[in-house]
Coordinates of all heavy atoms in Angstrom, one line a residue:
M1 N 77.0 108.5 88.0 CA 78.1 107.5 87.9 C 77.6 106.2 88.6 O 77.9 105.2 88.0 CB 79.3 108.1 88.6 CG 80.5 107.3 88.6 SD 81.3 107.4 87.0 CE 82.7 106.5 87.3
I2 N 77.0 106.3 89.7 CA 76.5 105.1 90.4 C 75.4 104.4 89.6 O 75.4 103.2 89.6 CB 76.0 105.5 91.9 CG1 77.2 106.0 92.7 CG2 75.3 104.3 92.5 CD1 78.2 104.9 93.0
V3 N 74.5 105.2 89.0 CA 73.4 104.7 88.2 C 74.0 103.9 87.1 O 73.5 102.8 86.7 CB 72.5 105.8 87.7 CG1 71.5 105.2 86.8 CG2 71.9 106.5 88.9
R4 N 75.1 104.4 86.4 CA 75.7 103.7 85.3 C 76.2 102.4 85.8 O 76.1 101.4 85.1 CB 76.8 104.6 84.8 CG 77.5 104.0 83.6 CD 78.5 104.9 83.1 NE 79.3 104.3 82.0 CZ 80.5 104.7 81.6 NH1 81.0 105.8 82.1 NH2 81.1 104.1 80.6
L5 N 76.9 102.3 86.9 CA 77.4 101.1 87.5 C 76.3 100.1 87.7 O 76.4 98.9 87.4 CB 78.1 101.4 88.8 CG 78.8 100.2 89.5 CD1 79.9 99.6 88.6 CD2 79.3 100.6 90.8
Y6 N 75.1 100.5 88.2 CA 74.0 99.6 88.5 C 73.5 99.1 87.1 O 73.1 97.9 87.0 CB 72.9 100.3 89.2 CG 73.2 100.5 90.7 CD1 72.9 101.7 91.3 CD2 73.8 99.5 91.5 CE1 73.2 101.9 92.7 CE2 74.1 99.7 92.8 CZ 73.8 100.9 93.4 OH 74.0 101.0 94.7
I7 N 73.4 99.9 86.1 CA 72.9 99.5 84.8 C 73.8 98.4 84.2 O 73.4 97.4 83.7 CB 72.7 100.7 83.9 CG1 71.5 101.5 84.4 CG2 72.4 100.2 82.5 CD1 71.3 102.9 83.7
I8 N 75.1 98.7 84.3 CA 76.1 97.8 83.7 C 76.0 96.4 84.5 O 76.0 95.4 83.9 CB 77.5 98.4 83.7 CG1 77.5 99.5 82.7 CG2 78.5 97.3 83.4 CD1 78.8 100.3 82.8
S9 N 76.0 96.5 85.8 CA 75.9 95.3 86.6 C 74.6 94.5 86.3 O 74.7 93.3 86.2 CB 75.9 95.7 88.1 OG 77.1 96.3 88.4
F10 N 73.5 95.2 86.1 CA 72.3 94.5 85.8 C 72.4 93.8 84.4 O 72.0 92.6 84.4 CB 71.1 95.5 85.7 CG 69.8 95.0 85.2 CD1 69.1 94.1 86.1 CD2 69.4 95.2 84.0 CE1 67.9 93.6 85.6 CE2 68.2 94.7 83.5 CZ 67.4 93.9 84.3
F11 N 73.0 94.4 83.4 CA 73.1 93.8 82.1 C 74.1 92.6 82.2 O 73.8 91.5 81.6 CB 73.5 94.8 81.1 CG 72.4 95.6 80.6 CD1 72.5 97.0 80.7 CD2 71.3 95.0 80.0 CE1 71.4 97.8 80.2 CE2 70.2 95.8 79.6 CZ 70.3 97.2 79.7
I12 N 75.1 92.7 83.0 CA 76.0 91.6 83.1 C 75.3 90.4 83.8 O 75.5 89.2 83.4 CB 77.3 92.0 83.9 CG1 78.2 92.9 83.0 CG2 78.1 90.8 84.4 CD1 79.3 93.5 83.8
L13 N 74.6 90.7 84.8 CA 73.8 89.6 85.5 C 72.8 88.9 84.6 O 72.6 87.7 84.6 CB 73.2 90.1 86.8 CG 74.1 90.4 87.9 CD1 73.4 91.1 89.1 CD2 74.8 89.2 88.4
V14 N 72.1 89.7 83.8 CA 71.2 89.2 82.8 C 71.9 88.3 81.8 O 71.4 87.2 81.5 CB 70.4 90.3 82.1 CG1 69.6 89.8 81.0 CG2 69.4 91.0 83.1
L15 N 73.0 88.7 81.3 CA 73.7 87.9 80.3 C 74.2 86.6 80.9 O 74.2 85.6 80.3 CB 74.9 88.7 79.7 CG 74.5 89.8 78.8 CD1 75.7 90.6 78.4 CD2 73.8 89.3 77.5
L16 N 74.7 86.7 82.2 CA 75.2 85.5 82.8 C 74.0 84.5 83.1 O 74.2 83.3 83.0 CB 75.9 85.8 84.1 CG 77.3 86.5 84.0 CD1 77.9 86.9 85.3 CD2 78.2 85.5 83.3
A17 N 72.9 85.1 83.5 CA 71.7 84.2 83.7 C 71.2 83.5 82.4 O 70.9 82.3 82.4 CB 70.5 85.1 84.3
V18 N 71.2 84.3 81.3 CA 70.9 83.7 80.0 C 71.9 82.6 79.7 O 71.5 81.5 79.2 CB 70.8 84.7 78.9 CG1 70.7 84.1 77.6 CG2 69.6 85.7 79.2
A19 N 73.2 82.8 79.9 CA 74.2 81.8 79.6 C 74.0 80.6 80.5 O 74.1 79.5 80.0 CB 75.6 82.4 79.8
F20 N 73.7 80.8 81.7 CA 73.5 79.7 82.6 C 72.2 78.8 82.2 O 72.3 77.6 82.2 CB 73.3 80.2 84.1 CG 72.9 79.1 85.0 CD1 73.9 78.2 85.5 CD2 71.7 79.0 85.5 CE1 73.6 77.2 86.4 CE2 71.3 78.0 86.4 CZ 72.3 77.1 86.8
I21 N 71.1 79.5 81.9 CA 69.9 78.8 81.5 C 70.2 78.0 80.2 O 69.8 76.9 80.1 CB 68.7 79.8 81.3 CG1 68.3 80.3 82.7 CG2 67.6 79.2 80.6 CD1 67.4 81.5 82.6
F22 N 70.8 78.7 79.2 CA 71.1 78.0 78.0 C 72.0 76.8 78.2 O 71.8 75.7 77.6 CB 71.8 79.0 77.0 CG 72.1 78.4 75.7 CD1 71.1 78.1 74.7 CD2 73.4 78.0 75.4 CE1 71.5 77.5 73.5 CE2 73.8 77.5 74.2 CZ 72.8 77.2 73.2
G23 N 73.0 77.0 79.0 CA 74.0 75.9 79.3 C 73.3 74.7 80.0 O 73.7 73.6 79.8
S24 N 72.4 75.0 81.0 CA 71.8 74.0 81.7 C 70.9 73.1 80.9 O 70.6 72.0 81.3 CB 71.1 74.5 83.0 OG 70.0 75.3 82.6
Q25 N 70.4 73.7 79.8 CA 69.4 72.9 78.9 C 70.2 72.1 77.9 O 69.6 71.3 77.2 CB 68.5 73.9 78.2 CG 67.6 74.7 79.2 CD 66.7 73.8 80.0 OE1 66.1 72.9 79.4 NE2 66.5 74.1 81.2
N26 N 71.5 72.2 77.8 CA 72.2 71.5 76.8 C 73.3 70.7 77.4 O 74.4 71.1 77.8 CB 72.9 72.6 75.8 CG 72.0 73.3 75.0 OD1 71.3 72.7 74.2 ND2 71.8 74.6 75.2
E27 N 73.0 69.4 77.6 CA 73.9 68.5 78.3 C 74.6 67.6 77.3 O 75.3 66.6 77.7 CB 73.1 67.6 79.2 CG 72.5 68.3 80.4 CD 73.6 68.9 81.3 OE1 74.6 68.3 81.5 OE2 73.4 70.0 81.8
Q28 N 74.6 67.9 76.0 CA 75.3 67.1 75.0 C 76.8 67.3 75.2 O 77.3 68.4 75.7 CB 75.0 67.6 73.6 CG 73.6 67.4 73.2 CD 72.7 68.6 73.5 OE1 73.2 69.6 74.0 NE2 71.4 68.4 73.3
V29 N 77.6 66.3 74.9 CA 79.0 66.3 75.0 C 79.6 66.7 73.7 O 79.2 66.2 72.6 CB 79.6 64.9 75.5 CG1 81.1 64.9 75.5 CG2 79.0 64.6 76.8
L30 N 80.6 67.6 73.7 CA 81.2 68.0 72.5 C 82.7 67.9 72.7 O 83.3 67.9 73.8 CB 80.9 69.4 72.1 CG 81.1 70.6 73.1 CD1 82.4 71.3 72.8 CD2 80.0 71.6 72.9
T31 N 83.4 67.7 71.6 CA 84.9 67.5 71.6 C 85.5 68.8 71.1 O 85.2 69.3 70.0 CB 85.3 66.4 70.7 OG1 84.6 65.2 71.1 CG2 86.8 66.2 70.7
L32 N 86.4 69.4 71.9 CA 87.2 70.6 71.6 C 88.6 70.2 71.2 O 89.3 69.5 72.0 CB 87.2 71.6 72.7 CG 85.9 72.1 73.1 CD1 86.0 73.0 74.4 CD2 85.2 72.9 72.0
N33 N 89.0 70.6 70.0 CA 90.4 70.3 69.6 C 91.2 71.6 69.7 O 90.9 72.5 69.0 CB 90.4 69.8 68.1 CG 89.7 68.5 68.0 OD1 89.9 67.6 68.8 ND2 88.9 68.3 66.9
Y34 N 92.2 71.5 70.5 CA 93.1 72.6 70.7 C 94.3 72.4 69.8 O 94.4 71.3 69.1 CB 93.6 72.8 72.1 CG 92.5 72.9 73.1 CD1 92.2 71.9 74.0 CD2 91.7 74.1 73.1 CE1 91.1 72.1 74.9 CE2 90.7 74.2 74.0 CZ 90.4 73.2 74.9 OH 89.4 73.4 75.8
L35 N 95.3 73.2 69.8 CA 96.5 73.0 69.0 C 97.3 71.8 69.4 O 97.8 71.1 68.6 CB 97.4 74.3 69.0 CG 96.8 75.5 68.3 CD1 97.7 76.7 68.5 CD2 96.7 75.2 66.8
I36 N 97.3 71.6 70.8 CA 98.2 70.5 71.3 C 97.4 69.5 72.1 O 97.9 68.6 72.6 CB 99.3 71.1 72.1 CG1 98.8 71.9 73.3 CG2 100.3 71.9 71.3 CD1 99.8 72.4 74.3
A37 N 96.1 69.7 72.2 CA 95.3 68.8 73.1 C 93.9 68.7 72.5 O 93.4 69.4 71.6 CB 95.2 69.3 74.5
R38 N 93.2 67.7 73.1 CA 91.8 67.5 72.8 C 91.0 67.2 74.1 O 91.6 66.5 74.9 CB 91.7 66.3 71.8 CG 90.2 65.8 71.6 CD 90.2 64.6 70.8 NE 90.2 64.9 69.4 CZ 90.3 64.0 68.4 NH1 90.3 62.7 68.7 NH2 90.3 64.4 67.2
T39 N 89.8 67.7 74.2 CA 89.1 67.4 75.4 C 87.6 67.3 75.1 O 87.1 67.8 74.1 CB 89.3 68.5 76.5 OG1 88.6 68.2 77.7 CG2 88.7 69.9 76.0
E40 N 86.9 66.6 75.9 CA 85.5 66.4 75.8 C 84.8 67.1 77.0 O 85.2 66.8 78.1 CB 85.1 65.0 75.7 CG 85.5 64.3 74.4 CD 85.0 62.9 74.2 OE1 84.2 62.5 75.1 OE2 85.3 62.3 73.2
M41 N 83.8 67.9 76.8 CA 83.1 68.5 77.8 C 81.7 68.8 77.4 O 81.4 68.7 76.2 CB 83.8 69.8 78.3 CG 83.8 70.9 77.2 SD 84.5 72.5 77.8 CE 86.1 72.0 78.4
T42 N 80.8 69.1 78.3 CA 79.4 69.3 78.0 C 79.3 70.8 77.4 O 80.2 71.6 77.6 CB 78.5 69.2 79.2 OG1 78.9 70.2 80.2 CG2 78.6 67.8 79.9
V43 N 78.2 71.0 76.8 CA 78.0 72.3 76.2 C 77.9 73.4 77.3 O 78.4 74.5 77.2 CB 76.7 72.3 75.4 CG1 76.3 73.7 74.9 CG2 76.8 71.4 74.2
A44 N 77.3 73.0 78.4 CA 77.2 73.9 79.6 C 78.6 74.3 80.1 O 78.8 75.5 80.4 CB 76.4 73.3 80.7
A45 N 79.5 73.4 80.2 CA 80.8 73.7 80.7 C 81.6 74.5 79.7 O 82.3 75.5 80.0 CB 81.6 72.4 80.9
A46 N 81.4 74.3 78.4 CA 82.0 75.1 77.3 C 81.5 76.5 77.4 O 82.3 77.4 77.2 CB 81.8 74.4 76.0
I47 N 80.2 76.7 77.5 CA 79.6 78.0 77.6 C 80.2 78.7 78.8 O 80.6 79.9 78.7 CB 78.1 77.9 77.6 CG1 77.6 77.5 76.2 CG2 77.5 79.3 78.0 CD1 76.1 77.3 76.2
S48 N 80.2 78.1 79.9 CA 80.8 78.7 81.1 C 82.2 79.1 81.0 O 82.6 80.2 81.3 CB 80.6 77.8 82.3 OG 79.3 77.5 82.5
L49 N 83.0 78.2 80.4 CA 84.4 78.5 80.2 C 84.6 79.7 79.3 O 85.4 80.6 79.6 CB 85.1 77.2 79.6 CG 86.5 77.4 79.2 CD1 87.4 77.5 80.4 CD2 87.0 76.2 78.4
F50 N 84.0 79.7 78.1 CA 84.2 80.8 77.2 C 83.6 82.1 77.6 O 84.1 83.1 77.2 CB 83.7 80.3 75.8 CG 84.6 79.2 75.2 CD1 84.0 78.0 74.8 CD2 85.9 79.3 75.1 CE1 84.8 77.0 74.3 CE2 86.7 78.3 74.6 CZ 86.1 77.1 74.2
T51 N 82.5 82.0 78.4 CA 81.9 83.3 78.9 C 82.9 83.9 79.9 O 83.1 85.1 79.9 CB 80.6 83.0 79.6 OG1 79.7 82.4 78.6 CG2 79.9 84.2 80.1
A52 N 83.4 83.1 80.8 CA 84.4 83.6 81.8 C 85.7 84.1 81.1 O 86.2 85.1 81.4 CB 84.7 82.5 82.8
L53 N 86.1 83.4 80.1 CA 87.3 83.8 79.3 C 87.1 85.1 78.6 O 87.9 86.0 78.7 CB 87.7 82.7 78.3 CG 89.0 82.9 77.5 CD1 90.2 82.9 78.4 CD2 89.1 81.8 76.5
G54 N 85.9 85.3 78.0 CA 85.6 86.5 77.3 C 85.5 87.7 78.3 O 85.9 88.8 78.1
F55 N 84.9 87.4 79.5 CA 84.8 88.4 80.5 C 86.1 88.9 81.0 O 86.4 90.1 81.1 CB 84.0 87.9 81.7 CG 83.9 88.9 82.8 CD1 83.0 89.9 82.8 CD2 84.7 88.7 84.0 CE1 82.9 90.8 83.8 CE2 84.6 89.6 85.0 CZ 83.7 90.7 85.0
F56 N 87.0 88.0 81.3 CA 88.4 88.4 81.8 C 89.2 89.0 80.7 O 90.0 90.0 81.0 CB 89.1 87.2 82.4 CG 88.5 86.8 83.7 CD1 88.0 85.5 83.9 CD2 88.5 87.6 84.8 CE1 87.4 85.1 85.1 CE2 87.9 87.3 86.0 CZ 87.4 86.0 86.1
L57 N 89.1 88.6 79.4 CA 89.8 89.3 78.4 C 89.3 90.7 78.2 O 90.1 91.6 78.0 CB 89.7 88.5 77.1 CG 90.5 87.2 77.0 CD1 90.2 86.5 75.7 CD2 92.0 87.5 77.0
G58 N 88.0 90.9 78.2 CA 87.4 92.2 78.1 C 87.9 93.1 79.3 O 88.2 94.3 79.1
L59 N 87.9 92.5 80.5 CA 88.4 93.3 81.7 C 89.8 93.7 81.5 O 90.2 94.8 81.8 CB 88.2 92.4 82.9 CG 88.4 93.1 84.2 CD1 87.4 94.2 84.4 CD2 88.3 92.0 85.4
L60 N 90.7 92.8 81.0 CA 92.1 93.1 80.8 C 92.3 94.2 79.8 O 93.1 95.1 79.9 CB 92.9 91.9 80.4 CG 93.2 90.8 81.5 CD1 93.8 89.6 80.9 CD2 94.0 91.4 82.6
V61 N 91.5 94.1 78.7 CA 91.6 95.2 77.6 C 91.2 96.5 78.2 O 91.8 97.5 77.9 CB 90.8 94.8 76.4 CG1 90.6 95.9 75.4 CG2 91.5 93.6 75.7
T62 N 90.1 96.5 79.0 CA 89.6 97.8 79.5 C 90.6 98.4 80.5 O 90.8 99.6 80.5 CB 88.3 97.5 80.3 OG1 87.3 97.0 79.3 CG2 87.7 98.8 80.9
I63 N 91.2 97.6 81.3 CA 92.2 98.1 82.3 C 93.4 98.6 81.5 O 93.9 99.7 81.8 CB 92.6 97.0 83.3 CG1 91.5 96.7 84.2 CG2 93.9 97.3 84.0 CD1 91.7 95.4 85.1
A64 N 93.9 97.9 80.5 CA 95.0 98.4 79.7 C 94.7 99.7 79.0 O 95.5 100.6 79.0 CB 95.4 97.3 78.7
W65 N 93.5 99.8 78.5 CA 93.0 101.0 77.8 C 93.0 102.2 78.7 O 93.5 103.3 78.4 CB 91.7 100.8 77.1 CG 91.1 102.0 76.5 CD1 91.5 102.6 75.3 CD2 90.0 102.8 76.9 NE1 90.8 103.6 75.0 CE2 89.8 103.8 75.9 CE3 89.2 102.7 78.0 CZ2 88.8 104.7 76.1 CZ3 88.1 103.6 78.1 CH2 88.0 104.6 77.2
R66 N 92.5 102.0 79.9 CA 92.5 103.1 80.9 C 93.9 103.5 81.3 O 94.1 104.7 81.6 CB 91.6 102.7 82.1 CG 90.2 102.7 81.8 CD 89.4 102.4 83.1 NE 88.0 102.4 82.7 CZ 87.0 102.9 83.6 NH1 87.4 103.3 84.8 NH2 85.8 102.9 83.2
I67 N 94.8 102.5 81.5 CA 96.1 102.9 81.9 C 96.8 103.7 80.8 O 97.5 104.7 81.1 CB 96.9 101.6 82.2 CG1 96.5 101.0 83.5 CG2 98.4 101.9 82.3 CD1 97.0 99.6 83.8
V68 N 96.6 103.3 79.6 CA 97.2 104.1 78.4 C 96.6 105.4 78.4 O 97.3 106.4 78.2 CB 97.0 103.3 77.1 CG1 97.3 104.2 75.9 CG2 97.9 102.0 77.1
R69 N 95.3 105.6 78.5 CA 94.7 106.9 78.5 C 95.1 107.8 79.6 O 95.4 109.0 79.3 CB 93.1 106.7 78.6 CG 92.4 107.9 78.2 CD 90.9 107.7 78.2 NE 90.5 107.5 79.6 CZ 89.2 107.4 79.9 NH1 88.3 107.3 79.0 NH2 88.9 107.2 81.2
K70 N 95.3 107.3 80.8 CA 95.7 108.1 81.9 C 97.2 108.5 81.7 O 97.6 109.6 82.1 CB 95.5 107.4 83.2 CG 94.1 107.4 83.7 CD 94.0 106.8 85.1 CE 92.5 106.8 85.5 NZ 92.3 106.5 86.9
S71 N 98.0 107.6 81.2 CA 99.4 107.9 81.0 C 99.6 109.0 79.9 O 100.4 109.8 80.0 CB 100.2 106.7 80.7 OG 99.9 106.1 79.4
K72 N 98.7 108.9 78.9 CA 98.8 110.0 77.9 C 98.4 111.3 78.5 O 99.0 112.4 78.1 CB 97.8 109.6 76.7 CG 98.4 108.6 75.8 CD 97.5 108.4 74.6 CE 98.0 107.3 73.7 NZ 97.1 107.1 72.5
K73 N 97.4 111.4 79.3 CA 97.0 112.6 80.0 C 98.1 113.2 80.8 O 98.4 114.4 80.8 CB 95.8 112.4 80.8 CG 94.5 112.3 80.1 CD 93.3 112.2 81.0 CE 92.0 112.1 80.2 NZ 90.8 111.9 81.1
V74 N 98.8 112.3 81.6 CA 99.9 112.7 82.4 C 101.1 113.3 81.6 O 101.7 114.3 81.9 CB 100.4 111.6 83.4 CG1 101.7 111.9 84.1 CG2 99.3 111.2 84.4
L75 N 101.4 112.6 80.5 CA 102.5 113.0 79.6 C 102.1 114.4 79.0 O 103.0 115.3 78.9 CB 102.7 112.0 78.5 CG 103.5 110.7 79.0 CD1 103.5 109.7 77.8 CD2 104.8 111.1 79.5
A76 N 100.9 114.6 78.6 CA 100.5 115.8 78.0 C 100.5 117.0 79.0 O 100.9 118.1 78.7 CB 99.0 115.7 77.4
K77 N 100.1 116.7 80.3 CA 100.2 117.7 81.3 C 101.6 118.0 81.6 O 102.0 119.2 81.8 CB 99.5 117.1 82.6 CG 99.4 118.1 83.7 CD 98.6 117.6 84.9 CE 98.5 118.5 86.0 NZ 97.8 118.0 87.1
N78 N 102.5 117.0 81.7 CA 103.9 117.3 82.0 C 104.6 118.1 80.8 O 105.4 119.0 81.0 CB 104.7 116.0 82.2 CG 104.4 115.4 83.5 OD1 103.9 116.0 84.4 ND2 104.6 114.1 83.6
K79 N 104.2 117.8 79.6 CA 104.7 118.5 78.4 C 104.3 120.0 78.4 O 105.0 120.9 78.1 CB 104.3 117.8 77.2 CG 105.0 118.3 75.9 CD 104.6 117.5 74.7 CE 105.3 117.9 73.5 NZ 104.9 117.2 72.3
S80 N 103.0 120.2 78.8 CA 102.5 121.6 78.8 C 103.2 122.4 80.0 O 103.3 123.6 79.9 CB 101.0 121.6 79.0 OG 100.6 121.1 80.3
L81 N 103.5 121.7 81.1 CA 104.2 122.4 82.2 C 105.6 122.8 81.8 O 106.2 123.8 82.3 CB 104.2 121.6 83.4 CG 102.8 121.4 84.1 CD1 102.9 120.4 85.3 CD2 102.2 122.7 84.6
E82 N 106.3 122.0 81.0 CA 107.7 122.2 80.6 C 107.8 123.4 79.7 O 108.8 124.1 79.7 CB 108.2 121.0 79.9 CG 108.5 119.8 80.8 CD 109.0 118.6 80.0 OE1 109.1 118.7 78.8 OE2 109.2 117.6 80.7
T83 N 106.8 123.7 78.9 CA 106.9 124.9 77.9 C 106.4 126.2 78.5 O 106.0 126.4 79.6 CB 106.1 124.6 76.7 OG1 104.7 124.4 77.0 CG2 106.6 123.4 75.9

């Protein structure tokens, strides 16, 4: 279990390092058009923003999935105890 955590942490750090290196080499300014706004930022800032956004969305989905899975197990256990 601990080895798995180290492997996952290593891959996350490698991906973040690659994103940082790629972003630091690209200083061009780009324009992002949202539904209600428009902003200009460097490619490095955009990569950092979307990498962090993807990480947090993935974390939220994983947490929600685990909660649903555990609640299903508890419901199944309670149902089997009732019969």
